[in-house]
């Protein structure tokens, strides 16, 4: 019997294959590409780096909506488009930006800077005109600010959690409970 067990090869069952998971950040470019292309954006970098491109002051109340690329025009009997500075300017793309109506004049005055910054990011003189649409922009997210929690509430919660042996856990739970209690008291007033 021992000899039969020794002669059998050590066979391990194959591990179950789990479904492959991916990070959401890796999936987003494929999901956003059709919408971005429809809006004229070659990639999401212009949208993602808008605050860096135009600066925090303008980014606070402006959002790029789309880039309208010009259609190629070929004249009858000509294979090459006409040259000239005005033709070159007319052939550039139009960047459409939305902003709150109160800031439209400021955006218009900064349009030269915005176009230069966008073209620097794109790497060539692609955008020649800025179109401003007045409308609501999404509210900027503000950084989380920790509010002051009264020490008496923290002490009250700490006393109620006296049965917890771990000091760090007890302190964290006391601060959490005091924060919730402070918020509840504020909304009831």
């Amino acid at each position: 019997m021992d000899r039969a067990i020794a002669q059998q090869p050590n066979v391990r069952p194959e591990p179950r294959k789990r479904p492959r998971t991916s990070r959401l950040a890796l999936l987003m470019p494929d999901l956003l590409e059709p919408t971005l292309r429809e809006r004229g954006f070659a990639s999401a970098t212009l949208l993602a780096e808008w605050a860096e491109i135009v600066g925090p002051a303008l980014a606070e109340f402006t959002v790029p909506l789309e880039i309208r690329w010009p259609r190629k025009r070929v004249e009858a009997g000509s294979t090459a488009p006409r040259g000239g500075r005005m033709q070159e300017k007319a052939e550039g793309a139009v960047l459409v930006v939305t902003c709150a109506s109160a800031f439209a004049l400021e955006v218009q005055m900064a349009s030269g800077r915005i176009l230069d910054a966008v073209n620097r990011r794109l790497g060539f003189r692609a955008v020649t005109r800025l179109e401003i649409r007045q409308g609501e922009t999404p509210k900027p997210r503000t950084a989380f600010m920790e509010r002051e929690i009264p020490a008496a509430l923290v002490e009250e919660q700490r006393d109620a959690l006296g049965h917890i042996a771990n000091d760090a856990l007890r302190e964290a739970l006391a601060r959490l409970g005091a924060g919730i209690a402070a918020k509840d008291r504020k909304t009831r007033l």
Side-chain angles (χ1 to χ4, degrees):
M1 180 109 170
D2 291 330
R3 196 180 259 179
I5 293 174
Q7 289 176 352
Q8 289 180 352
N10 189 4
V11 179
R12 290 185 180 162
E14 285 189 37
R16 267 184 26 188
K17 290 186 179 180
R18 294 183 181 154
R20 185 176 168 178
T21 59
S22 298
R23 290 186 177 180
L24 186 58
L26 296 175
L27 297 174
M28 289 309 291
D30 294 336
L31 295 173
L32 290 175
E33 186 178 355
T35 304
L36 291 173
R37 293 233 181 257
E38 184 179 300
R39 296 273 184 169
F41 296 105
S43 68
T45 56
L46 188 69
L47 296 171
E49 299 171 0
W50 183 247
E52 186 179 315
I53 293 169
V54 298
L58 285 173
E60 190 175 327
F61 52 83
T62 61
V63 177
L65 287 180
E66 66 178 323
I67 296 178
R68 284 198 311 254
W69 298 95
R71 300 193 188 281
K72 291 184 180 181
R73 285 191 262 161
V74 178
E75 295 178 16
S78 172
T79 56
R82 282 191 353 226
R85 191 165 186 214
M86 292 304 288
Q87 182 67 22
E88 184 180 298
K89 188 173 184 176
E91 294 293 326
V94 177
L95 173 65
V96 181
V97 175
T98 185
C99 73
S101 60
F103 299 105
L105 185 59
E106 188 171 342
V107 174
Q108 184 179 3
M109 289 190 297
S111 63
R113 279 188 336 200
I114 293 171
L115 291 175
D116 288 342
V118 168
N119 286 324
R120 251 183 281 134
R121 186 57 54 117
L122 293 175
F124 61 101
R125 187 101 180 127
V127 180
T128 57
R129 231 179 76 218
L130 183 73
E131 184 178 305
I132 302 166
R133 290 193 185 160
Q134 296 179 14
E136 288 190 33
T137 56
K139 301 283 185 220
R141 286 195 276 171
T142 57
F144 174 74
M145 293 179 58
E146 191 172 325
R147 63 179 186 270
E148 197 64 36
I149 300 172
L153 281 176
V154 176
E155 188 62 38
E156 181 182 311
Q157 294 293 322
R158 195 178 297 127
D159 291 342
L161 298 169
H163 63 280
I164 296 177
N166 187 332
D167 292 336
L169 177 62
R170 183 175 47 244
E171 184 63 30
L173 290 173
R175 290 193 53 74
L176 175 66
I180 293 170
K183 186 177 179 181
D184 284 348
R185 287 181 184 176
K186 193 175 194 179
T187 56
R188 284 186 212 149
L189 295 176

